[in-house]
């Protein structure tokens, strides 16, 4: 958010059409959860996605983004959604299941078969390139 | 009238202080944020009542009975910042305290109500009254007592902290804004009152600078990435073909960098001085094409063989003169030539070893990422910055590839199979491959023998002349695929398989290289034996020329034209030419193979597929995969040629730089246009230390022949910078004797004494031994620590899982799908703790908790952690007893 631009060009808006989580981001930051944003929501989004935002805040919202069914836990279904979106469905069903199992196995601290916010933060704060990739530049 | 006021402010302070009992709990922290304002709002009524602010303050700050003492305690309390003050104040009047206590109690419930209210509608509540009260109390701050000052200071600090940490609060924007404005207003007011109103401007300035700095750093990073050559190309390839193929290109790029440095060294210190300051072409025999060759010297076919004018140019050893100094700079060219030759090897050794060391360092510092491979891939692999659909496409491809790589690794580690069969197959494969290697070795030996016989004959056909090369390239073409076929028996993980394959082809190439070198050595020795004869002929010719009769004695005879002087065969240049030819032909073979084997095949498969009777793409010819092992080894051996040849052909490095440059672009294009990703994409070991190891070996092997020729062969008598000397390294001695002061020469002579060298070598061995043992022990300690961390993690996991399951079973059949799930769970947790674990049990539990950790850490060297582990691996059945505490106890080891 470094620049002082106030009007978006068409290209700039087009540029973010490729993000596999664009729908989710809009939903998470909107008030009603259907992706329609007010100005404040919009500002929220960019303050979280800005480069200056702290780690914990980013982790909190990343958790929300990956929590597809909004139940405050990332469960196996959420993970499957994530993998499918990330790979555009090029992995076979077994592979997806394997990946999800592995993720749960690695990151699930309390072994309840889903990732809580705590588990997620515990994991994501150790990721080397989370901060460098989880932001948007205007 | 002062009394109620004092008590009010006092109570406010108490509430303000008591919030800090548990700063960690979020609820209280929230309350704490509010608390900063509370005192002012309590003070507001008197201010609004219209009493002059100054008076009010004075009233508040006026001395009271026992005030000195109070002040003292207060100060102490401020220093410690503790809530203990209540206890300290017991010495004060009881009435006062009672009053305060009652006030506090009265006030407590509304405060809680307010908190709830705020929580419900945090940003709709008007903030106006509070700030106005702040202003009123601040404006009167002429005679603030010390305690007031301290309190305000504290609040200001708090607000500042709030401003600083505002970013990290997950609040909606409106609330953030409101809070920020309020906090800023507060700070502005009171910092002024406290007399250090650097305030807003400085803050804004600092923020601005911080922002600018971050932006600058970002731009600089971008710039740096842009400066890395071919980064985008390699990233592109990596995203399509996986990290293993990319590792080849990274290696190629690294090699290009190394060669560029070598090129700079040789060109800057040898070739350019010679061209600028040396004697020009045609001045002396060694710089002139002999009369017999002059007619054809410019023909392309001759030049192509590096004969003719190219042979007598600064590209080769023979062109350099043995003058001690050249030009007005008195540049000592022979010395420079020797030192550059040595430093080429020195630099290469240092750079290879350093990058190997860097790689190992990088691999040890990763640590955590082993534990979270898949999680990191899933949650952090998408780069939210991507704003270009092509980049996005390749990112999708890259993510898919990296998932596949990890899946292959995972499956490989889980695979269980017949151990005996695998072992048998592996032994069989190795046996077959050794047979192949022996066979090819014998074949080369046989061919070389035959070629020596051919060379004695007068008329040899084209085939007979080139038989060795043909056989060698045939072997090089057919053996690697054969090895690959045999390696399929072994069933290794592709990454390990690649290493085996590399090792085997390496052995094959090494055989080729050394037969080549031996043949070359024979040639050199032959030329050396002829040299004495030629030397005599030269002398005789010159003698005859100057002393022959039939020339006017009065006019001195013009010197013999340099082209007519008979000369020796100059074995150094011959060696240089051999390496030059080999490099060029190797390059051409590589390019043609790529063009025919990959590109034409791809074209054929792609376009003939429309009119063919079977599916060409899926069936037999299909597209080619990128041959990593072959390419890497080709590169490594090529580099070995360069190292060996660069002493005798200084221009070789220049050719090699061109070759690497073209092959970078050409291979990038070829791989993107006509290759397909490997069937089993695998992740290259991040450090390409294996390549580096091979490179080091080749460097060492190529150092040997060069060192041998420098140390034990006499240089040619009529060409090159060392001509006329007994050995090439005599140039060092000469320089030391002539150009250094005598005592330095003595010191050098003393240093060369074997009595000193042998102890030095011994010392080096000792140092190596010591460092080796230290590094071993360190790595052992490292491994142990890793194990410890792993075990702790396991214990923690099992601990948590037991707890979680206990609460889950307590809460029983709560509906899980709803979004209220979380709060309900929390509620049940809070519910269960009181009734299941009594007060006395809590410390007990804690003690047990630490008890479980301790034995684990104590037993670490033993690979099996204590009995907690089975609990984590195979959790007991869901039917847990309701009394969770007892359940825990039963599971824990004593």
């Amino acid at each position: 958010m470094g620049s002082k631009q106030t009007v978006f060009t068409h290209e700039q808006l087009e540029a973010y059409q490729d993000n596999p989580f664009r729908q989710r981001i809009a939903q998470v930051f909107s008030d009603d959860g259907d992706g329609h944003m007010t100005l404040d929501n919009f500002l929220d989004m960019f303050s979280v996605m800005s480069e200056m935002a702290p780690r914990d805040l980013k982790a909190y919202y990343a958790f929300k983004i990956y929590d597809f069914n909004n139940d405050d836990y990332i469960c196996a279904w959420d993970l499957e959604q994530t993998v499918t979106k990330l790979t555009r469905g090029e992995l076979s069903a077994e592979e997806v299941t394997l990946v999800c199992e592995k993720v749960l196995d690695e990151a699930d601290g309390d072994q309840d078969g889903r990732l809580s916010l705590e588990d997620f933060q515990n994991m994501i704060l150790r990721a080397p390139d989370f901060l460098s990739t989880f932001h948007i530049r205007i | 009238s002062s009394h109620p006021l004092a008590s009010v402010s006092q109570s406010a302070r108490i509430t303000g202080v008591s919030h800090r009992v548990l700063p960690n709990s979020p609820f209280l922290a929230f309350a704490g944020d509010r608390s900063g304002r509370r005192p002012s709002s309590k003070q507001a009524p008197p201010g609004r009542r219209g009493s002059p602010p100054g008076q009010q303050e004075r009233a508040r700050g006026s001395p009271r009975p026992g005030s000195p003492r109070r002040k003292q305690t207060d100060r102490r309390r401020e220093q410690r910042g503790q809530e203990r003050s209540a206890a300290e104040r017991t010495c004060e009047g009881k009435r006062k305290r009672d009053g305060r206590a009652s006030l506090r109690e009265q006030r407590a419930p509304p405060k809680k109500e307010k908190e709830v209210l705020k929580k419900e509608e945090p940003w709709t509540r008007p903030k106006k009254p509070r700030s106005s009260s702040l202003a009123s109390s601040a404006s009167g701050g002429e005679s603030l007592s010390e305690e007031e000052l301290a309190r305000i200071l504290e609040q200001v600090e708090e607000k500042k902290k709030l401003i600083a940490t505002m970013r990290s609060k997950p609040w909606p924007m409106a609330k953030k804004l409101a809070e920020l404005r309020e906090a800023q207003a507060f700070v502005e007011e009171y910092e002024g009152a406290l007399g250090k109103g650097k305030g807003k401007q400085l803050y804004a300035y600092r923020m601005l600078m911080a922002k600018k700095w971050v932006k600058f750093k970002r731009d600089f990073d971008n710039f740096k990435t842009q400066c890395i050559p071919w980064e985008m190309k390699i990233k592109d390839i990596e995203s399509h073909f996986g990290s293993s193929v990319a590792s080849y290109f990274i290696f190629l790029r690294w090699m290009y960098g190394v060669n560029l440095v070598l090129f700079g060294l040789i060109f800057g210190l040898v070739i350019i001085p010679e061209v600028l300051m040396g004697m020009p072409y045609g001045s002396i025999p060694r710089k002139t094409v002999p009369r017999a060759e002059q007619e054809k010297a410019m023909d392309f076919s001759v030049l192509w063989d590096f004969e003719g004018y190219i042979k007598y140019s600064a590209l080769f050893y023979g062109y350099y003169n043995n003058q001690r100094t050249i030009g007005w700079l008195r540049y000592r060219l022979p010395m420079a030539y020797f030192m550059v030759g040595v430093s080429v090897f020195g630099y290469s050794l240092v750079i290879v070893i350093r990058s190997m060391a860097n790689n190992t360092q990088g691999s040890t510092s990763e640590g955590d990422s082993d534990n979270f491979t898949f999680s990191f891939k899933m949650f952090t692999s998408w780069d939210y910055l991507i704003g270009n659909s092509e980049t996005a496409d390749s990112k999708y491809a890259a993510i898919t590839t990296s998932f596949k790589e990890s899946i292959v690794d995972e499956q490989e580690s889980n695979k269980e199979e017949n151990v005996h069969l695998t072992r048998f197959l592996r032994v069989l494969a190795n046996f077959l491959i050794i047979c192949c290697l022996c066979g090819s070795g014998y074949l080369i030996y046989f061919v070389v023998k035959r070629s020596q016989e051919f060379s004695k004959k007068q008329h040899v056909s084209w085939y007979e002349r080139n038989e060795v090369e043909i056989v060698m390239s045939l072997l090089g073409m057919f053996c690697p695929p054969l090895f690959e076929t045999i390696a399929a028996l072994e069933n290794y993980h592709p990454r390990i398989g690649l290493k085996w394959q590399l090792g085997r082809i390496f052995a094959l190439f090494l055989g080729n290289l050394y037969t080549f070198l031996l043949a070359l050595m024979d040639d050199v020795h032959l030329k050396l034996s002829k040299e004495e004869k030629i030397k005599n002929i030269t002398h005789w010719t010159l003698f005859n020329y100057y002393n022959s009769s039939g020339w006017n004695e009065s006019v001195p005879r013009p010197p013999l034209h340099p082209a007519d002087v008979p000369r020796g065969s100059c074995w150094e240049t011959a060696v240089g030419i051999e390496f030059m030819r080999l490099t060029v032909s190797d390059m051409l073979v590589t390019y043609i193979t790529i063009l025919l084997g990959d590109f034409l095949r791809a074209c054929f498969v792609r376009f003939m597929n429309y009119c063919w009777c079977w599916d060409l793409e899926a069936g037999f010819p299909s597209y080619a995969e990128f041959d990593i092992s072959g390419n890497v080894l080709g590169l490594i051996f090529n580099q070995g040629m360069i190292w060996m040849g660069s002493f005798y052909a200084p221009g070789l490095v220049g050719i090699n730089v061109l070759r690497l440059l073209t092959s970078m672009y050409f291979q990038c294009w070829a791989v993107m246009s006509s290759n397909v990703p490997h069937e089993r994409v695998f992740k290259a070991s991040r450090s390409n230390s294996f390549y580096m190891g091979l490179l080091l070996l080749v460097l060492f092997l190529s150092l040997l022949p060069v060192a041998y020729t420098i140390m034990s062969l006499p240089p040619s008598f009529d060409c090159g910078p060392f001509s006329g000397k007994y050995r090439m390294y005599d140039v060092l001695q000469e320089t030391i004797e002539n150009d250094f002061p005598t005592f330095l020469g003595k010191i050098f002579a003393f240093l060369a004494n074997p009595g000193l060298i042998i102890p030095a070598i011994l010392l080096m061995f000792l140092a190596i031994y010591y460092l080796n043992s230290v590094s071993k022990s360190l790595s052992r300690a490292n491994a142990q620590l890793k194990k410890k961390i792993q075990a702790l993690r396991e214990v923690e996991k099992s601990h948590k899982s037991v707890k979680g399951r206990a609460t889950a079973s307590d809460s029983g059949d709560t509906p899980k799908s709803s979004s209220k799930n979380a709060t309900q769970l929390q509620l049940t947790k809070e519910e269960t703790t009181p009734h299941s674990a009594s007060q006395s049990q809590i410390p007990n539990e804690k003690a047990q908790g630490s008890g479980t950790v301790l034995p684990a850490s104590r037993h670490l060297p033993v690979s099996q952690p204590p009995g907690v582990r089975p609990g984590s691996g195979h959790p007991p059945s869901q039917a847990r007893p309701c009394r969770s505490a007892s359940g825990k106890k039963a599971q824990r080891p004593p």
Side-chain angles (χ1 to χ4, degrees), chain A residues 44 51 57 88 105-106, chain B residues 167 173 218 375 396 797:
Chain A
D44 278 342
E51 202 169 12
L57 184 68
R88 286 185 176 162
D105 189 40
E106 284 166 2
Chain B
R167 281 173 205 293
M173 188 52 70
R218 198 172 68 195
S375 313
Y396 280 119
K797 254 189 182 180

Side-chain angles (χ1 to χ4, degrees), chain B residues 408-417 491-494 680:
Chain B
V408 165
D409 281 0
E410 192 54 37
Q411 284 169 345
E412 209 60 38
S413 66
N414 289 339
K415 202 189 269 176
E416 284 181 20
E417 60 213 353
N491 204 10
Y492 277 124
H493 181 275
R680 296 172 73 195

Side-chain angles (χ1 to χ4, degrees), chain B residues 707-742:
Chain B
Y708 169 74
T709 52
I710 288 178
M711 292 314 231
S712 53
L713 291 184
S716 305
F717 73 100
D718 63 345
C719 68
F722 311 115
S723 57
K725 296 198 175 52
Y726 174 62
R727 290 282 185 263
M728 292 180 190
Y729 57 82
D730 283 348
V731 71
L732 277 182
Q733 219 172 349
E734 190 189 69
T735 312
I736 288 172
E737 275 171 13
N738 294 338
D739 297 337
F740 284 82
T742 38

Side-chain angles (χ1 to χ4, degrees), chain B residues 33-41 43 130-135 137-138 148-163 178-194 199:
Chain B
D33 287 338
R34 303 275 152 180
S35 74
R37 268 172 248 123
R38 183 153 309 285
S40 53
S41 66
Q43 288 155 12
R130 201 184 295 151
S131 49
S132 76
S133 73
L134 285 185
S137 58
E148 292 294 323
L149 264 179
R151 186 172 58 78
I152 290 173
L153 191 67
E154 198 176 294
Q155 285 176 4
V156 166
E157 288 303 318
E158 220 164 77
K159 289 284 175 195
K160 272 186 175 172
K161 219 166 90 189
L162 181 68
I163 292 172
E179 292 275 343
L180 183 69
R181 271 193 203 122
E182 193 191 309
Q184 271 173 346
F186 186 88
V187 168
E188 210 175 326
E189 293 274 1
Y190 279 88
E191 272 206 325
L194 290 171

Side-chain angles (χ1 to χ4, degrees), chain B residues 488-509:
Chain B
L489 280 179
E490 294 179 306
N491 204 10
Y492 277 124
H493 181 275
R495 198 184 313 144
I496 302 164
L498 176 68
K499 280 189 181 174
W500 277 96
Q501 176 79 354
L502 277 172
R504 284 160 187 164
I505 303 176
F506 187 81
L508 182 76
F509 278 17

Side-chain angles (χ1 to χ4, degrees), chain B residues 85-356:
Chain B
S85 57
E88 280 175 17
R89 253 178 265 124
T90 42
C91 56
E92 287 180 42
K94 207 176 182 185
R95 214 188 57 178
K96 236 189 224 171
R97 200 176 118 218
D98 284 349
R100 240 180 285 134
S102 64
L103 262 171
R104 196 160 113 210
E105 263 146 40
Q106 278 174 10
R107 212 164 289 118
K111 181 192 135 205
K112 255 185 195 161
E113 273 177 23
K114 257 185 194 166
E115 290 297 354
V116 173
L117 210 111
K118 271 180 212 159
K119 260 193 170 172
E120 278 169 355
E121 35 165 286
W123 56 89
T124 49
R125 222 169 60 87
K127 300 264 156 54
K128 192 97 187 179
R130 201 184 295 151
S131 49
S132 76
S133 73
L134 285 185
S136 69
S137 58
S139 59
E142 291 138 19
S143 61
L144 289 174
S145 68
E146 277 184 48
E147 49 183 293
E148 292 294 323
L149 264 179
R151 186 172 58 78
I152 290 173
L153 191 67
E154 198 176 294
Q155 285 176 4
V156 166
E157 288 303 318
E158 220 164 77
K159 289 284 175 195
K160 272 186 175 172
K161 219 166 90 189
L162 181 68
I163 292 172
T165 57
M166 181 71 74
R167 281 173 205 293
S168 58
K169 302 256 192 303
W171 295 337
M173 188 52 70
K175 184 178 167 193
K176 266 188 190 173
L177 268 181
E179 292 275 343
L180 183 69
R181 271 193 203 122
E182 193 191 309
Q184 271 173 346
F186 186 88
V187 168
E188 210 175 326
E189 293 274 1
Y190 279 88
E191 272 206 325
L194 290 171
K196 47 173 201 171
K198 295 168 270 182
K200 202 173 175 182
Q201 279 186 348
L202 185 66
Y203 180 76
Y205 180 72
R206 274 221 305 261
M207 286 311 289
L208 190 73
M209 288 322 284
K211 248 185 193 170
K212 283 256 150 71
W213 174 242
V214 166
K215 191 165 159 23
F216 172 75
K217 268 202 300 196
R218 198 172 68 195
D219 287 347
F220 189 68
D221 281 348
N222 281 352
F223 177 71
K224 270 199 300 195
T225 343
Q226 274 174 356
C227 283
I228 301 174
W230 306 304
E231 185 70 2
M232 288 312 295
K233 269 180 191 293
I234 290 175
K235 282 262 147 43
D236 211 17
I237 288 172
E238 186 171 21
S239 61
H240 281 94
F241 291 88
S243 49
S244 52
V245 175
S247 76
Y248 164 72
F249 284 95
I250 291 170
F251 187 56
L252 179 62
R253 184 174 66 185
W254 183 84
M255 206 66 117
Y256 179 72
V258 172
N259 274 288
L260 221 52
V261 172
L262 297 184
F263 175 75
L265 211 62
I266 291 178
F267 258 62
L269 294 179
V270 173
I271 295 185
I272 289 179
E274 169 67 29
V275 168
L276 289 183
M277 300 187 287
M279 294 167 104
Y281 172 82
S283 54
I284 48 172
R286 71 185 65 179
K287 298 192 178 191
T288 320
V289 180
R291 187 75 66 194
E293 296 174 24
Q294 266 182 356
E295 274 175 39
K296 290 184 175 177
M298 221 31 199
D299 291 1
F300 182 73
S301 64
V302 174
L303 290 182
W304 184 246
D305 276 346
F306 295 99
E307 296 282 342
Y309 282 106
I310 289 189
K311 185 178 174 185
Y312 299 96
S313 71
L315 292 183
F316 290 104
Y317 172 93
Y319 184 78
Y320 295 84
N321 198 2
N322 62 346
Q323 254 181 316
R324 277 201 64 229
T325 57
I326 54 168
W328 54 273
L329 274 177
R330 307 194 61 71
Y331 189 74
R332 286 167 175 74
L333 189 76
M335 180 69 186
Y337 195 99
F338 189 79
M339 292 314 284
V340 165
V342 170
S343 55
V344 161
F345 279 102
Y347 173 76
S348 310
L349 270 175
V350 167
I351 198 87
V352 170
I353 289 175
R354 211 186 65 180
S355 77
M356 273 178 92

